[in-house]
Amino acid sequence: MNALTLQARAVQTTAFSPKLQHAVRLLQMSSLEFARCLHDEAQSNPFLEVEEAPDEHACEDIARAPDGRDDDSLWAAEYEGAMGRQNPAPSAGEDALDALQGLAVPVSLRDHLHAQLGTRRLTARERVCAQAVADAVDEDGYLRVSLEELAVVLGESGSQLRAELERALAHVQACDPCGVGARTVSECLCLQLAQAPASACRDLCIRLATEHLELLASRNLQRLSKAVGASLEETREAVQRIRRLNAHPGWQHGGEVAAAVTPDVTVRKHKGVWATKLNASALPRVQLNHLYAALADSDRASLNPQMAGCLEQARWTVSNVNQRLVTILQIARAIVSRQTLFLEYGPLAMKPLGLREIADEVGVHPSTVSRTVRNKYMATPWGMMELRRFFSRGMEHSTGRSSAPAALKELLSEMIGAESTQAPLSDAELTRLLAQQGFSIARRTVTKYRQGLGVDPVERRRSGW
C-alpha cells in the first residue's frame, strides 16, 4: 500500500538572499528610479537619512566596500570632490527659487480648444454643441466621429440639430492650431491653405489636396504634373508647399513631456588623459541615522521586532548603495579604457565590445555588467550615451579587423549625407559601396541601419520631394 513518509536531505541550490535581491534591484535602476526609491525608503524607515548635498566629510565612510575593505580610495576621493562641488543649499533667510516653477505646464488639446471657445460670443446652446465637437476631436486633431453620432450623444435628432452641429464644427475649425477639427486629411490641408493669401500656387495646392491626394502620396511628380495640367516646376513648388503643412495639428498639444536624462558618469579629458567621474547631481547620498541606531543597539532585548527589521534593512540599503556606486564607476572606467578612440574621433571609431570582457576586468559576472549598464548614461564629448550602446558584436572587415555597428551606421550616415539630391543612393548601391571599403554585409542589414538612422527610402530622398 502507498504511504506518506518524511525524509530529510541536504541539497545544494542557488538562492538569492533578501540582501542580494535588494542589491540587484538597486543596481539595475536608473538614476531617477534610484533617487525615488531612496526617498521612499527614507520616509518609511526611521534609521535612514537621504542627503542631496553632503559636506566635504560626508564620503569618508562611503568608500568602504560592503565587506569592510577600503580598497577604492581613489574612487572615494573623486566622489568626495564631486559632491563637494555641488551648489550649497540656500540659507533659511534666502528665497529658494524652484526651477520647476519656470517650466511650462502641458495643456491638452481639449483644454486648449475649450479655452478658445470660452472667448467666443456664443449662446448657451451653441456653446454646448461646440464643446461636444471639441470633446470628440482625437489626439491627432481630427473629428473621426460623424455629426449624426454626436447628435445621438446629445440625445436629440433632426435637421435643426444637424445645422447647429455644422456651425459648431465651423467654430472649432476656426480655433488654433489651424486644421483642427478636420474630418479627412484633405480637409485638414485645405483648412491650412485657406489661411494663406490667394495665389495661383495656393489654388493648385488646394486642387492637389482635394482631387489628387492619392497621386500626391505616390510621389510621382511627372504623373502629378500631367494630371493637373501644370508645369513640372509649378507642380514641384506646390508639392513643397503642401509638405510644409501639418497633417497632425493635434500633436502640438497634450503630448507627453520627455523626461530629462541625467548622466550617471561624466568623461572629460584632463592633461591628455580621459578621466571618468561620478555625476554628483545624480547621486543622492543615503546614510544611517547613527543616533537611532545606537539607541536600538543599546537596548536589543526590548527592541520591537519591526524596528529591528527596519534597522537591518537600513544597513542593507547603505551597504548596497555604496556597492552600486562603486560598481558603476568601475564598469564605466573599464568601458572608457577600451573606447578611447570613440572619445577622440567619434562614433566612426567605436570598437566592438563584449560584456564578458568588461566583467573579467572588473571581477564580476557578465549578468552584473548587463544590469549595471541598463538605463545608465555617460556624458561624453559626443553627447549623452547609454552605457549599453558601447557593447556590440564586431562586423568583420576584409583586413581581418572588426568594427562596431555604431561605426558602420556613422559611415552609412556620411555616405547618405554626401549623396546627390538628384540621384540618391539606394540600399543596394550603399551595400556595394560598403563592400568596396571591405565591409561585406547584407542589403537587409543596410536597410535596417538606414531605418535606425531615421533616413527615408531612396524614392523619398529624390530632389523635389
Side-chain angles (χ1 to χ4, degrees):
M1 296 178 62
N2 295 331
L4 298 177
T5 59
L6 295 177
Q7 294 181 353
R9 293 186 303 171
V11 180
Q12 289 185 347
T13 59
T14 302
F16 280 175
S17 65
K19 182 178 180 180
L20 183 57
Q21 294 177 12
H22 186 262
V24 171
R25 186 169 63 89
L26 290 180
L27 183 61
Q28 61 188 9
M29 286 182 178
S30 65
S31 58
L32 294 178
E33 294 173 342
F34 176 65
R36 190 181 303 115
C37 177
L38 291 186
H39 283 288
D40 291 343
E41 290 195 19
Q43 290 179 358
S44 61
N45 195 325
F47 295 98
L48 280 178
E49 293 180 347
V50 175
E51 296 182 2
E52 296 296 340
D55 56 21
E56 59 181 359
H57 302 294
C59 299
E60 293 179 356
D61 58 338
I62 201 172
R64 295 189 176 275
D67 57 359
R69 292 179 290 107
D70 190 7
D71 55 357
D72 205 356
S73 58
L74 179 59
W75 171 84
E78 290 186 356
Y79 182 82
E80 179 180 355
M83 300 301 280
R85 286 191 297 272
Q86 286 193 9
N87 295 329
S91 61
E94 297 178 354
D95 294 332
L97 177 61
D98 187 0
L100 295 178
Q101 295 178 0
L103 296 178
V105 178
V107 180
S108 65
L109 178 61
R110 178 179 301 178
D111 294 339
H112 184 61
L113 294 177
H114 278 277
Q116 296 177 78
L117 293 174
T119 62
R120 293 180 175 270
R121 293 183 178 180
L122 303 175
T123 64
R125 175 75 175 178
E126 291 174 339
R127 193 173 304 279
V128 169
C129 293
Q131 290 178 350
V133 173
D135 290 339
V137 174
D138 62 11
E139 60 183 8
D140 292 334
Y142 286 87
L143 180 65
R144 306 188 191 276
V145 180
S146 65
L147 296 181
E148 288 76 12
E149 292 174 326
L150 279 179
V152 173
V153 173
L154 294 175
E156 301 181 23
S157 60
S159 58
Q160 181 179 356
L161 180 60
R162 167 78 184 196
E164 291 176 345
L165 290 176
E166 289 282 359
R167 291 193 295 270
L169 177 59
H171 287 301
V172 172
Q173 291 180 346
C175 293
D176 176 77
C178 187
V180 69
R183 287 159 287 189
T184 61
V185 177
S186 177
E187 185 179 9
C188 178
L189 298 177
C190 289
L191 286 173
Q192 299 176 57
L193 290 169
Q195 302 298 320
S199 63
C201 183
R202 191 196 71 166
D203 296 339
L204 180 58
C205 290
I206 294 178
R207 185 180 174 187
L208 290 174
T210 54
E211 302 176 7
H212 304 283
L213 193 61
E214 294 184 359
L215 190 58
L216 183 66
S218 67
R219 300 179 179 272
N220 192 324
L221 198 60
Q222 296 288 346
R223 290 181 56 192
L224 200 59
S225 175
K226 184 180 297 185
V228 296
S231 65
L232 195 64
E233 188 62 32
E234 291 174 344
T235 307
R236 180 181 290 108
E237 182 183 356
V239 169
Q240 292 288 357
R241 186 168 181 176
I242 292 177
R243 287 190 62 190
R244 290 193 291 267
L245 301 178
N246 186 3
H248 302 279
W251 289 2
Q252 302 178 29
H253 300 274
E256 295 184 359
V257 180
V261 176
T262 303
D264 297 87
V265 292
T266 59
V267 180
R268 292 183 180 179
K269 196 171 187 179
H270 180 66
K271 296 182 179 180
V273 179
W274 291 100
T276 309
K277 295 184 179 181
L278 291 167
N279 182 15
S281 61
L283 300 175
R285 181 179 177 272
V286 61
Q287 66 178 2
L288 191 67
N289 190 314
H290 298 287
L291 177 59
Y292 290 173
L295 291 175
D297 290 333
S298 63
D299 194 5
R300 279 279 184 179
S302 60
L303 185 61
N304 185 290
Q306 185 176 0
M307 295 300 293
C310 288
L311 178 58
E312 184 178 11
Q313 181 73 18
R315 286 173 172 160
W316 286 359
T317 300
V318 173
S319 175
N320 292 334
V321 166
N322 299 342
Q323 184 61 41
R324 177 185 188 271
L325 302 180
V326 171
T327 304
I328 292 176
L329 184 62
Q330 289 177 342
I331 291 177
R333 283 176 173 171
I335 292 174
V336 169
S337 65
R338 283 165 171 74
Q339 297 291 359
T340 305
L341 292 178
F342 160 76
L343 298 174
E344 294 283 354
Y345 304 106
L348 196 59
M350 182 81 74
K351 295 174 56 178
L353 186 62
L355 294 174
R356 183 168 295 277
E357 185 178 352
I358 299 297
D360 292 341
E361 178 177 345
V362 178
V364 296
H365 195 270
S367 63
T368 302
V369 179
S370 177
R371 292 187 179 97
T372 303
V373 300
R374 182 184 305 171
N375 296 324
K376 310 297 187 306
Y377 292 86
M378 176 186 295
T380 72
W382 302 95
M384 196 81 67
M385 295 279 293
E386 190 175 4
L387 292 183
R388 66 178 180 179
R389 288 186 58 188
F390 290 99
F391 296 88
S392 62
R393 293 182 178 180
M395 304 290 292
E396 293 296 331
H397 192 270
S398 59
T399 60
R401 299 180 180 180
S402 58
S403 300
L408 292 179
K409 289 182 180 180
E410 184 68 16
L411 180 59
L412 193 65
S413 178
E414 291 185 0
M415 289 180 176
I416 296 175
E419 69 184 6
S420 172
T421 57
Q422 301 296 331
L425 299 173
S426 64
D427 293 345
E429 292 171 338
L430 291 171
T431 304
R432 287 195 297 270
L433 290 177
L434 290 174
Q436 293 175 5
Q437 299 191 28
F439 298 100
S440 179
I441 59 178
R443 184 189 58 81
R444 61 178 179 272
T445 304
V446 173
T447 302
K448 181 180 69 173
Y449 287 171
R450 175 183 56 76
Q451 293 173 348
L453 293 171
V455 178
D456 292 332
V458 61
E459 295 81 7
R460 299 187 180 183
R461 302 202 308 272
R462 295 190 189 279
S463 178
W465 292 97

